[in-house]
Amino acid sequence: MKEIFPSISAIRYEGPKSKNPFAFKYYNPEEKLGAKTMREQLKFAVSYWHTLCGKGTDMFGDGTADKDFGGGSVMQIYKNKVYAAFEIMEKLDIDYFCFHDRDIAPEADTLAKTNERLDEIVPIIEDLMKEKNKKLLWGTANLFSNPRYMHGAATSCNPEVFAFAAAQIKKALEITQRLGGQGYVFWGGREGYETLLNTDMKLELDNLARLLRLSVDYGRQIGFEGDFYIEPKPKEPTKHQYDFDVASVLAFLRAYGLENDFKMNVEANHATLAGHTFQHELCLARINGVFGSIDANQGDMLLGWDTDQFPTNVYEAALCMTEVLKAGGFTKGGLNFDAKARRGSFEHADIFHSYIAGMDTFALGLRLAYKIKEDGRIDDFTANRYAGYKSGLGSDIVSGKVTMEDLEAYALEKGDVISTLKSSGQEYLENVMNSIMFS
Ligand code: XUL
Ligand code: CO
């Protein structure tokens, strides 16, 4: 296997004082925080689509980056992408990767020929996984790029398209299972609408649930034991995406009896597009028992679209990792960088700078999450804020002992309760956050 990035050597931890641009300053994979190493807790994954396929195209211009990696024919290009992927994982010491079916092999004229292309590439991936000890975090099917999905996939008005989508998922599930994938993701690519003037929303949602049920049942039938995830996103590419946010997805899953079959793959930039913080989406997933995996990136707060930038915001990463710790850490999920270098950052070295930035940011986030936990001031403040629910009236409310009449009698007897209130302490807590971050 020819080396594709000969000028880049293995990236190692050198500590915060290092000025070597090709070294980790904060991510020290074997260092233990709590009971586990950083590697075990962060479970970083390469996103195949951005890293190996994304060339920096936008609606105003062609790609700027070379992602052929020296390949000539179509299939050689895709084979070289595999070699590049494993070299990137090896040099960055990343254990996991994720892909869509179409990232690893391009479509041919018919589905059968496309599947043959997949069958040519999958064994190469399988061998390299064994040789380099790399793992598949999750697989998925691209049900949005091809023009056949212009009206959606499961939610298309056309049942032929529904069948095609099912066939693609079936194959993607088989590949994910064969490669030992720990998860399978459904991101609702074009499952949404542009206008309700032409949309039967009830049938579309019913059909979305039907395809999810068929997929889960098939996955379990072939012995897939990984987690199934839904990745919420409120808009883009469609004006309204059905999997809007964690709350909407939970309501949908419960309405169709799918709540025990899915967890969430929460993406940072999707949260902000939905008008939520990343922490909000993670918290909601956690308290509902559906925290699964993370697509880590960041958006630009001045823009209303999915910029998929590599995360560099340490404050956000600290709040994210605080939620992950509260959830008990990742089980089958992990931290995938669904992120791409900017269009002008077209050199191969930029791929490495990007991952180093994202990995160091989340390493700092994990270190800070432990400091926040050990410091205890924030957790204690919050616990004290609700202390009234631990005894007396509060514990009677929580245990369901009180009636409306009891509550009225209590309020009437007190006359007013304003004097019992205390400050929400937000500014105090923000000061605490800064003192923990910069101590
Ligand atoms: C799109 C997005 C996808 C999913 C996988 O916004 O996030 O790349 O992560 O289909
Ligand atoms: Co994503």
Side-chain angles (χ1 to χ4, degrees):
M1 196 180 98
K2 192 171 148 272
E3 198 176 11
I4 294 180
F5 310 103
S7 62
I8 312 277
S9 354
I11 316 292
R12 299 280 176 251
Y13 173 72
E14 290 186 4
K17 293 213 169 75
S18 167
K19 291 199 174 157
N20 175 1
F22 294 103
F24 296 119
K25 319 292 182 302
Y26 307 100
Y27 180 55
N28 187 9
E30 309 315 330
E31 183 182 331
K32 273 195 171 173
L33 292 178
K36 287 196 208 155
T37 63
M38 296 184 92
R39 176 196 300 282
E40 288 167 322
Q41 293 186 72
L42 288 162
K43 293 182 72 181
F44 289 131
V46 163
S47 62
Y48 209 100
W49 51 105
H50 291 306
T51 306
L52 286 314
C53 305
K55 295 181 177 175
T57 45
D58 66 18
M59 60 262 245
F60 299 101
D62 298 339
T64 54
D66 163 37
K67 296 289 172 81
D68 289 353
F69 303 113
S73 66
V74 175
M75 287 313 281
Q76 195 54 52
I77 289 172
Y78 277 79
K79 283 175 191 166
N80 287 9
K81 285 184 197 290
V82 178
Y83 304 139
F86 280 85
E87 194 178 321
I88 288 169
M89 281 189 270
E90 199 166 33
K91 289 190 167 167
L92 283 159
D93 204 359
I94 292 178
D95 295 331
Y96 295 89
F97 64 107
C98 320
F99 63 81
H100 303 80
D101 49 358
R102 301 304 177 243
D103 306 335
I104 59 166
E107 275 197 66
D109 297 342
T110 63
L111 182 62
K113 285 190 191 149
T114 302
N115 286 348
E116 275 170 29
R117 285 182 166 182
L118 283 165
D119 293 338
E120 196 179 328
I121 296 285
V122 168
I124 304 173
I125 296 183
E126 195 172 31
D127 287 348
L128 277 169
M129 284 174 76
K130 279 188 204 127
E131 189 188 319
K132 311 268 182 205
N133 191 25
K134 300 297 174 196
K135 290 166 268 189
L136 178 60
L137 189 67
W138 48 260
T140 187
N142 176 332
L143 306 177
F144 43 89
S145 295
N146 191 291
R148 81 174 67 84
Y149 295 118
M150 67 175 81
H151 305 310
T155 65
S156 174
C157 48
N158 183 323
E160 279 86 354
V161 173
F162 185 101
F164 206 98
Q168 231 185 288
I169 294 170
K170 178 175 177 289
K171 182 76 179 169
L173 272 168
E174 288 160 4
I175 293 170
T176 303
Q177 158 76 347
R178 171 169 171 183
L179 298 178
Q182 301 193 357
Y184 186 92
V185 164
F186 290 87
W187 166 60
R190 291 181 193 275
E191 312 292 26
Y193 62 78
E194 294 299 326
T195 170
L196 284 178
L197 289 174
N198 64 11
T199 302
D200 182 343
M201 202 200 287
K202 172 83 168 75
L203 180 63
E204 291 202 2
L205 288 170
D206 288 352
N207 282 347
L208 181 56
R210 287 184 181 109
L211 193 54
L212 292 175
R213 169 54 56 218
L214 284 165
S215 303
V216 169
D217 289 351
Y218 182 73
R220 297 305 180 215
Q221 182 191 316
I222 62 170
F224 175 66
E225 290 178 358
D227 282 342
F228 284 100
Y229 304 114
I230 306 260
E231 182 180 321
K233 186 175 184 181
K235 56 187 166 192
E236 200 198 25
T238 67
K239 172 196 169 80
H240 176 91
Q241 298 274 124
Y242 289 131
D243 297 333
F244 196 93
D245 57 6
V246 171
S248 321
V249 173
L250 274 172
F252 166 84
L253 293 174
R254 287 171 184 161
Y256 291 95
L258 291 162
E259 67 273 26
N260 297 324
D261 297 296
F262 288 92
K263 290 182 178 164
M264 303 285 165
N265 183 38
V266 177
E267 178 162 329
N269 202 171
H270 295 179
T272 45
L273 288 178
H276 303 307
T277 60
F278 186 23
Q279 188 188 13
H280 165 98
E281 289 291 81
L282 291 165
C283 179
L284 201 55
R286 171 173 66 80
I287 63 178
N288 281 284
V290 291
F291 166 73
S293 207
I294 287 180
D295 269 6
N297 59 19
Q298 73 186 32
D300 185 316
M301 292 307 144
L302 298 181
L303 303 177
W305 64 86
D306 200 7
T307 58
D308 282 330
Q309 290 166 231
F310 270 87
T312 50
N313 185 329
V314 176
Y315 201 97
E316 289 291 319
L319 296 176
C320 164
M321 291 315 296
T322 297
E323 281 300 324
V324 175
L325 290 190
K326 285 186 181 166
F330 293 113
T331 45
K332 290 181 182 171
L335 208 150
N336 166 48
F337 289 111
D338 191 356
K340 57 190 175 202
R342 297 305 84 194
R343 189 165 185 270
S345 307
F346 65 95
E347 295 178 24
H348 284 161
D350 291 310
I351 299 174
F352 293 87
H353 292 306
S354 303
Y355 274 95
I356 292 169
M359 293 164 77
D360 264 346
T361 298
F362 269 82
L364 274 169
L366 181 66
R367 290 180 188 280
L368 287 167
Y370 272 101
K371 280 174 89 178
I372 293 167
K373 193 173 155 184
E374 279 152 23
D375 177 273
R377 278 177 288 171
I378 295 177
D379 287 339
D380 289 350
F381 184 94
T382 309
N384 279 333
R385 202 167 168 233
Y386 298 93
Y389 284 95
K390 295 276 182 223
S391 62
L393 171 72
S395 74
D396 287 348
I397 293 174
V398 170
S399 61
K401 268 192 206 149
V402 292
T403 64
M404 288 297 273
E405 288 84 349
D406 296 335
L407 293 167
E408 185 195 38
Y410 187 91
L412 283 171
E413 195 207 312
K414 290 278 168 185
D416 198 356
V417 292
I418 184 79
S419 64
T420 65
L421 299 190
K422 288 190 183 134
S423 164
S424 64
Q426 182 171 336
E427 295 76 6
Y428 158 70
L429 293 168
E430 286 165 349
N431 283 335
V432 171
M433 267 298 281
N434 280 351
S435 78
I436 295 171
M437 282 188 70
F438 298 103
S439 64

